């Protein structure tokens, strides 16, 4: 992960920095690339790694620049489990009867160690998700020049608004069994000869399996504050703290509520640090 975070920063400093005049009096266009690790809550992505690339158009105003930026962002997403285990945690999809959802059973007579896990996919449950997040962000902001700082370059403080058009895509894969009871007898040989769809005689009330994808996209606001240093007239480095608004979609199986399966959409905010390298034309 360290390589992802600091590669744009290191790429700038391996370049020779030669003294040259800084042109801050005319409109400029910049190409940007950066890493955007999440700080605080990781969110449904269950990971902190993020990347962006984009462009910026700046126009000199007063003692700085008014600028408009457009960026494409992508966040790495990792699998996570959301199965609602426990007694009376589930509902039979057939008649709404309450039951239990279990990950596995333990065998009290197992060897060489008692109470070893004895799983059986016909009675155990799992609900695995992956929530991808990617899309466009637009910045409208002002950068105020604070002058040249030794060993840093011409530096400006910046802040502004972000419009986020991020797409949330959730992949949900699961098989949920609502049970009357759960013990090692359900793993016995007779059940191996019983149809997977009809195990009510062995204490299973219902089974709900799914493999699907849902997505949500909204235009939501955010904001950022940070600093940019021009290392030369062409090369820059930015460090920003940004708050990104985005929607998240979540699938709710019938086994968790006793109602029809459905999706929920909610608004969230992701806080990221931005390490951005730029090339200015």
């Amino acid at each position: 992960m360290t390589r992802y975070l600091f590669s744009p920063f290191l790429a700038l400093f391996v370049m020779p920095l030669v003294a040259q005049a800084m042109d801050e009096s005319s409109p400029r266009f910049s190409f940007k690339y950066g890493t955007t690790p999440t700080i605080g809550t990781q969110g449904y992505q269950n990971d902190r790694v993020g990347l962006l690339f984009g462009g910026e158009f700046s126009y000199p105003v007063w003692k700085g620049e008014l600028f408009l930026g457009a960026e494409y962002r992508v966040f790495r997403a990792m699998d996570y489990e959301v199965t609602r285990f426990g007694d009376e945690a589930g509902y039979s999809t057939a008649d709404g009867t309450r039951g239990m959802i279990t990950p596995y059973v333990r065998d009290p007579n197992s060897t060489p160690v008692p109470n070893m896990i004895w799983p059986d996919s016909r009675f155990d449950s799992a609900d695995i998700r992956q929530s991808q997040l990617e899309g466009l962000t637009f910045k409208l902001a002002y950068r105020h020049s604070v002058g040249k700082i030794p060993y840093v370059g011409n530096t400006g403080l910046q802040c502004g608004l972000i419009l986020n058009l991020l797409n949330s895509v959730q992949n949900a894969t699961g098989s949920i069994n609502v049970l009357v009871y759960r013990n090692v007898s359900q793993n016995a040989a007779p059940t191996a000869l019983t149809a997977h769809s009809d195990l009510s005689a062995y204490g299973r009330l219902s089974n709900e399996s799914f493999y699907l994808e849902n997505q949500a996209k909204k235009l939501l606001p955010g904001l950022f504050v940070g600093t940019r240093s021009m290392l030369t007239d062409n090369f820059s480095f930015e460090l920003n703290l940004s708050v990104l608004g985005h929607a998240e979609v979540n699938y709710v199986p019938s086994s968790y509520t006793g109602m029809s399966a459905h999706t929920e959409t909610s608004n969230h905010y992701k806080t990221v640090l931005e390490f951005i390298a730029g090339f200015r034309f």
Side-chain angles (χ1 to χ4, degrees):
M1 178 175 175
T2 303
R3 179 182 62 186
Y4 287 111
L5 295 182
F6 294 104
S7 56
F9 181 79
L10 294 175
L12 291 173
F13 283 93
V14 298
M15 301 176 183
L17 302 183
V18 297
Q20 56 179 286
M22 297 283 184
D23 180 9
E24 307 283 27
S25 62
S26 60
R28 303 291 293 266
F29 176 81
S30 301
F31 172 78
K32 298 181 176 184
Y33 166 77
T35 56
T36 61
T38 300
I39 60 175
T41 303
Q42 297 181 17
Y44 288 165
Q45 287 64 58
N46 198 33
D47 195 79
R48 299 192 183 279
V49 174
L51 298 171
L52 71 77
F53 64 86
E56 173 195 303
F57 177 76
S58 61
Y59 191 88
V61 174
W62 191 42
K63 295 182 180 181
E65 301 169 299
L66 186 68
F67 65 93
L68 176 66
E71 303 148 342
Y72 171 76
R73 298 174 184 259
V74 59
F75 294 91
R76 187 168 68 179
M78 306 297 287
D79 290 345
Y80 59 98
E81 185 175 23
V82 298
T83 320
R84 299 183 186 179
F85 296 121
D87 294 343
E88 299 186 353
Y91 294 81
S92 167
T93 55
D95 57 14
T97 305
R98 291 293 295 270
M100 66 174 64
I101 299 174
T102 63
Y104 47 74
V105 70
R106 293 183 180 272
D107 182 2
N109 301 313
S110 63
T111 56
V113 181
N115 294 313
M116 294 177 64
I117 293 174
W118 192 1
D120 186 330
S121 61
R122 292 162 297 173
F123 295 96
D124 304 325
S125 298
D127 183 353
I128 308 299
R129 308 291 176 94
Q130 185 184 94
S131 294
Q132 303 166 20
L133 185 64
E134 56 83 27
L136 299 174
T137 56
F138 305 93
K139 289 177 178 174
L140 177 62
Y142 179 74
R143 180 183 300 121
H144 182 77
S145 175
V146 297
K148 187 173 183 179
I149 298 178
Y151 306 106
V152 176
N154 280 24
T155 302
L157 302 179
Q158 56 191 22
C159 64
L161 300 176
I162 307 177
L163 285 178
N164 305 278
L165 187 60
L166 299 176
N167 190 35
S168 171
V169 179
Q170 184 187 74
N171 296 294
T173 304
S175 180
I176 302 174
N177 296 286
V178 180
L179 308 175
V180 177
Y181 65 91
R182 181 74 173 103
N183 60 41
V184 295
S185 68
Q186 292 161 318
N187 296 67
T191 65
L193 305 177
T194 306
H196 182 78
S197 60
D198 182 17
L199 293 176
S200 57
Y202 298 93
R204 191 175 75 176
L205 296 173
S206 67
N207 167 260
E208 182 179 11
S209 297
F210 48 89
Y211 179 75
L212 48 83
E213 177 180 284
N214 293 294
Q215 59 182 308
K217 180 187 292 186
K218 285 186 179 181
L219 184 65
L220 293 173
L223 52 85
F224 82 101
V225 61
T227 181
R228 186 200 68 176
S229 293
M230 293 302 306
L231 306 178
T232 72
D233 186 56
N234 299 112
F235 296 101
S236 66
F237 176 74
E238 291 182 43
L239 176 61
N240 301 315
L241 177 68
S242 294
V243 179
L244 310 176
H246 64 95
E248 287 283 10
V249 62
N250 186 52
Y251 176 70
V252 182
S254 175
S255 298
Y256 294 159
T257 65
M259 302 182 294
S260 298
H262 61 280
T263 58
E264 300 172 336
T265 302
S266 56
N267 295 339
H268 293 259
Y269 287 90
K270 181 183 289 290
T271 304
V272 302
L273 281 176
E274 298 176 347
F275 301 88
I276 303 175
F279 178 79
R280 188 169 72 170
F281 298 94

